[in-house]
Amino acid sequence: MDIRFEKSLKLKEKIKDENKLGFGTYFTDYMFLMDYDEKNGWNDPRIVPYGNIEIQPSAMGLHYGQTIFEGLKAYKNDGKVYLFRADENFKRMNESNDRLCIPPVDEEFMMEALKKLIDIERDWVPDSKEASLYIRPFIIATEPKLGVHPSDSYLLMIILSPSGPYYKDGLAPMKIYVEDKYVRAVKGGIGTAKAGGNYAASLKSQIEAEENGYFQVLWIDGVDRKYVEEVGSMNIFFVTDDGIITPELNGSILSGITRKSIIELLKAEGQKVVEKKIAIDEIMDLHKKGKLLEVFGTGTAAVVSPVGELFYNGEKVVINNGEIGKVSQHLYDELTDIQWARKKGPEGWQIEV
Ligand SMILES: *Cc1c(COP(=O)(O)O)cnc(C)c1O
């Protein structure tokens, strides 16, 4: 399929101080769009000026949450632009599509479309330290009908947002509230899909955690209310005196690409990493015995995010004196070096645009 290009008559002013970019606030000059209908399948791929879109008020996605999204970044180093494992994002996009009854996309074509968009927008990829271009592909159901059923038409979009460093003052440990009231997802639900509805379900809990001085919540499973799942938009790892453990993909956790990359990096270094069911009580117990050395979250936005404090059931657990641990710092450095191509990564991880 040929990708149509509609030139913008007026380009935007770029933000000079990249430290002021924040996250997800500014958008570039262009966006990618593609339609789906039953007769033509995915069709009319186009790169057009960023701006408002028109959908009917009865569009199904607005009512019943039939939407999915992805999140990844483009990194600039020495004038060159790189994507990190973007093929994994399109693979996961199709897994989310499958769960939400959205027709699959051609993963190779999506990669081509993304590269073309990034190529046009390469000047928008920030080049100051730890700033990057956040990429948001997403799909919404557009059939104008209120009956509940899978939509017969969709709109796929990719928008780009130049974003500043996640940590303005360097890597800093976060305080996490272990959520024992609300549930994000359950096995058999849509927790494994990157779907907007999962985030809608998390807002109430997030606000209450913030009111109590916590940065994010750690979800525990919705069935037994015992096992650790993930943090906000991050997967979670525990460094113990006997290796590193992380919750196994149990049917309600989102399978993070950062998670997968961290596991692969650790294994390549010969470190012990075990994916398993982890009870929150096991974590509290390890802490009491002095065997919980570090805790960190992993996700595209923050890469590796050390946890300095956990609050569970009235108990405050300070981890590694509230400081950044050696393993967290090492993994953060290692992965960001690969993402910015300061170092050669495993085969296929760095995709030059
Ligand atoms: C996107 C996301 C993650 C992290 O996935 P990455 O591919 O590493 O960015 C973790 N949990 C949830 C709920 C997410 O939506």
Side-chain angles (χ1 to χ4, degrees):
M1 265 190 297
D2 280 343
I3 300 169
R4 177 157 71 79
F5 178 55
E6 186 185 314
K7 208 161 166 46
S8 175
L9 297 175
K10 192 167 181 291
L11 298 181
K12 296 175 196 170
E13 195 77 38
K14 299 207 173 49
I15 285 76
K16 297 227 165 52
D17 183 356
E18 293 180 345
N19 266 309
K20 296 220 170 80
L21 285 170
F23 175 75
T25 308
Y26 300 99
F27 296 92
T28 67
D29 292 304
Y30 292 99
M31 59 184 181
F32 173 83
L33 268 66
M34 181 161 75
D35 303 314
Y36 178 92
D37 61 62
E38 282 181 337
K39 187 164 153 258
N40 301 302
W42 287 109
N43 68 87
D44 195 15
R46 56 208 186 268
I47 292 171
V48 297
Y50 179 91
N52 292 351
I53 52 164
E54 233 176 48
I55 52 173
Q56 298 217 13
S58 53
M60 296 193 59
L62 299 177
H63 301 272
Y64 307 125
Q66 200 192 3
T67 69
I68 61 95
F69 67 97
E70 268 304 323
L72 67 159
K73 287 171 171 175
Y75 309 85
K76 194 178 264 178
N77 177 16
D78 217 4
K80 290 184 181 156
V81 175
Y82 300 88
L83 295 166
F84 177 73
R85 308 191 80 174
D87 47 326
E88 292 283 343
N89 290 90
F90 293 123
K91 191 171 139 210
R92 186 171 65 191
M93 176 178 246
N94 271 339
E95 285 161 12
S96 300
N97 283 343
D98 181 60
R99 182 64 185 81
L100 277 283
C101 300
I102 296 171
V105 295
D106 179 334
E107 292 167 30
E108 274 170 36
F109 176 74
M110 286 310 301
M111 185 68 109
E112 182 194 324
L114 176 59
K115 281 184 175 170
K116 184 160 180 181
L117 179 64
I118 299 287
D119 187 34
I120 291 170
E121 297 288 57
R122 64 173 60 240
D123 287 349
W124 277 99
V125 185
D127 57 8
S128 60
K129 193 166 188 290
E130 288 174 17
S132 57
L133 184 72
Y134 186 77
I135 303 165
R136 168 56 56 86
F138 63 111
I139 300 176
I140 55 173
T142 52
E143 183 184 346
K145 203 163 179 193
L146 294 183
V148 178
H149 63 177
S151 176
D152 66 10
S153 62
Y154 298 87
L155 179 61
L156 181 154
M157 286 172 268
I158 305 177
I159 55 176
L160 307 174
S161 177
S163 296
Y166 191 85
Y167 302 100
K168 277 207 193 71
D169 308 309
L171 203 57
M174 52 181 184
K175 287 164 80 177
I176 297 289
Y177 187 91
V178 182
E179 179 57 75
D180 50 11
K181 187 162 72 173
Y182 301 108
V183 170
R184 182 192 89 101
V186 290
K187 192 173 170 184
I190 60 168
T192 53
K194 224 167 159 71
N198 288 325
Y199 280 82
S202 76
L203 297 174
K204 188 110 180 146
S205 157
Q206 174 69 25
I207 284 174
E208 288 183 19
E210 280 169 18
E211 280 168 1
N212 286 303
Y214 290 85
F215 179 66
Q216 284 200 349
V217 303
L218 171 61
W219 298 105
I220 43 185
D221 81 279
V223 179
D224 297 310
R225 310 297 288 130
K226 249 167 74 174
Y227 300 100
V228 175
E229 298 223 312
E230 60 179 310
V231 175
S233 54
M234 282 185 262
N235 295 109
I236 191 147
F237 288 76
F238 302 92
V239 183
T240 77
D241 67 334
D242 182 32
I244 297 167
I245 55 175
T246 189
E248 64 187 5
L249 300 175
N250 63 348
S252 60
I253 297 175
L254 196 281
S255 173
I257 295 158
T258 320
R259 173 189 184 276
K260 179 175 177 172
S261 304
I262 290 289
I263 292 173
E264 288 170 18
L265 282 178
L266 285 168
K267 286 194 171 154
E269 287 177 352
Q271 301 219 49
K272 184 172 167 193
V273 206
V274 181
E275 297 172 62
K276 60 171 197 150
K277 252 183 155 166
I278 303 168
I280 183 68
D281 287 338
E282 179 184 344
I283 296 302
M284 301 301 276
D285 200 46
L286 282 169
H287 174 73
K288 284 198 188 89
K289 293 184 176 138
K291 294 178 171 180
L292 181 65
L293 310 179
E294 293 179 38
V295 181
F296 61 86
T298 63
T300 295
V303 193
V304 170
S305 197
V307 176
E309 185 185 315
L310 283 174
F311 184 87
Y312 175 56
N313 210 6
E315 240 182 290
K316 202 180 259 187
V317 170
V318 176
I319 296 140
N320 194 37
N321 284 322
E323 290 162 19
I324 304 165
K326 267 201 235 99
V327 178
S328 313
Q329 183 73 55
H330 164 69
L331 289 169
Y332 178 83
D333 294 341
E334 191 68 16
L335 198 52
T336 51
D337 276 349
I338 294 172
Q339 289 170 329
W340 268 270
R342 292 186 290 256
K343 196 177 205 175
K344 178 137 183 51
E347 186 68 35
W349 285 22
Q350 293 149 318
I351 304 163
E352 199 187 326
V353 180

